[in-house]
Amino acid sequence: FLEAVGDYKRAEEIRLGLFFLMDVLTIQDLLRFLSHLADAIIRISLERITGDHNLCVVGLGKLGGREITFGSDLDIIFLSDSPDGVKAAERVIKTLTTYTDKGMLYNVDVRLRPDGSKGALVKDIAGYRNYYLRSAHPWELQALLRARPVAGDLRAGRAFMEMGREVLMQRGKEVKREDIHAMRERIVSELSQEAAGMDIKLGPGGIEEIEFYVQFLQLQHVSESPEILVQNTPVAINRLAKKRILDVKERETLFNAYEY
């Protein structure tokens, strides 16, 4: 199974990469289709796991925003009200990260779950609601902006999205400019590779700086304009401009820099 799925993944990545190089696909098409590929592989991995576990896999980060690229990690969390949910989640992670002679399917990061690496791997909807409404840090509310169900129980996925909307409408304005600035400074100093040259993803003025700015605007205005609650960064920029939170020049500057 792992070899077959691995061959499928590599073939699709080569096909999509060639279409991009041939200008058949735009960069946004490429990222979206690579994200669809990850969705499909998570779903087929989950389908192999039997049992009444009612598991839902929720994508965050680049996966949630449909913006993963070649070699991206998958940020995921798990939702279930079944006692077997934890075992099922562990098996999904094992399937995606097991090494074969051709490598593994994906690196999986589950540290965005409540309480991080020390927290429970799986929670039910009440557990997530209680955590996000009462205990979530500003960066966790920011991460919730990009949450998207990618596989498993559809009803649970819809319930999670409704919960996330409720939380962000109530708590979005709690995230201050200082919180975003402090997080960016920490990322630049601890994670970026600026010392070795320009880091276009994590460095000052890079991709993540645009994402953080757009997410800050979403958090500040979502209670008055729920339409801006979208996961994808270019779509969010356009929605913010449509609601006149960004003017035309600001929209063009952000959109063009991000696409470049």
Side-chain angles (χ1 to χ4, degrees):
F1 171 77
L2 287 175
E3 287 189 7
V5 176
D7 286 343
Y8 166 69
K9 175 178 181 275
R10 280 182 287 276
E12 283 297 291
E13 286 180 338
I14 291 169
R15 186 175 72 91
L16 292 171
L18 287 173
F19 280 167
F20 171 67
L21 293 173
M22 294 163 63
D23 288 329
V24 176
L25 300 179
T26 66
I27 184 65
Q28 291 182 36
D29 291 334
L30 176 66
L31 302 186
R32 187 170 73 254
F33 293 158
L34 286 171
S35 301
H36 291 173
L37 174 61
D39 291 356
I41 290 173
I42 295 170
R43 286 173 191 163
I44 193 66
S45 300
L46 184 58
E47 284 174 12
R48 284 181 59 84
I49 298 167
T50 58
D52 186 22
H53 42 68
N54 300 320
L55 189 69
C56 176
V57 184
V58 177
L60 298 167
K62 296 287 191 184
L63 176 62
R66 298 182 179 88
E67 294 181 78
I68 71 169
T69 186
F70 301 102
S72 289
D73 293 352
L74 302 185
D75 291 304
I76 56 177
I77 57 177
F78 298 94
L79 170 66
S80 177
D81 57 7
S82 167
D84 297 327
V86 173
K87 288 183 180 178
E90 289 173 343
R91 290 180 65 189
V92 170
I93 294 170
K94 184 177 180 181
T95 299
L96 295 172
T97 60
T98 294
Y99 277 94
T100 68
D101 59 347
K102 296 178 181 177
M104 62 182 175
L105 293 171
Y106 291 101
N107 282 306
V108 171
D109 192 340
V110 293
R111 290 175 295 175
L112 289 177
R113 68 187 188 267
D115 295 315
S117 57
K118 298 177 182 176
L121 184 60
V122 179
K123 281 185 179 288
D124 60 16
I125 194 68
Y128 277 113
R129 178 179 283 106
N130 182 62
Y131 180 82
Y132 282 117
L133 282 175
R134 300 185 180 185
S135 307
H137 299 288
W139 65 267
E140 291 175 301
L141 298 175
Q142 186 183 346
L144 189 57
L145 278 169
R146 308 194 84 177
R148 175 177 68 88
V150 297
D153 190 316
L154 292 177
R155 286 182 299 177
R158 283 194 292 269
F160 188 93
M161 293 301 289
E162 290 169 9
M163 178 277 302
R165 181 188 180 95
E166 173 192 339
V167 168
L168 293 171
M169 296 276 281
Q170 286 189 40
R171 296 196 60 195
K173 279 187 164 63
E174 293 179 26
V175 182
K176 305 301 181 186
R177 188 182 297 269
E178 295 77 29
D179 298 321
I180 301 289
H181 185 66
M183 181 58 69
R184 277 293 301 141
E185 282 195 326
R186 183 177 172 188
I187 289 170
V188 170
S189 65
E190 296 180 11
L191 298 177
S192 79
Q193 304 295 318
E194 282 289 303
M198 185 180 292
D199 187 334
I200 63 169
K201 179 182 178 183
L202 300 179
I207 291 171
E208 193 173 87
E209 196 135 299
I210 298 173
E211 292 172 345
F212 273 44
Y213 180 61
V214 169
Q215 289 159 14
F216 172 69
L217 292 179
Q218 287 179 282
L219 289 165
Q220 291 300 300
H221 296 279
V222 67
S223 57
E224 302 93 36
S225 304
E227 306 94 319
I228 64 175
L229 191 56
V230 291
Q231 300 96 350
N232 180 269
T233 304
V235 174
I237 291 171
N238 286 331
R239 293 278 181 95
L240 290 165
K242 191 174 182 180
K243 300 301 292 186
R244 300 189 179 180
I245 297 165
L246 292 171
D247 64 31
V248 174
K249 187 176 180 181
E250 289 167 337
R251 180 262 171 207
E252 287 188 4
T253 299
L254 284 171
F255 191 93
N256 292 340
Y258 193 76
E259 188 174 54
Y260 175 75

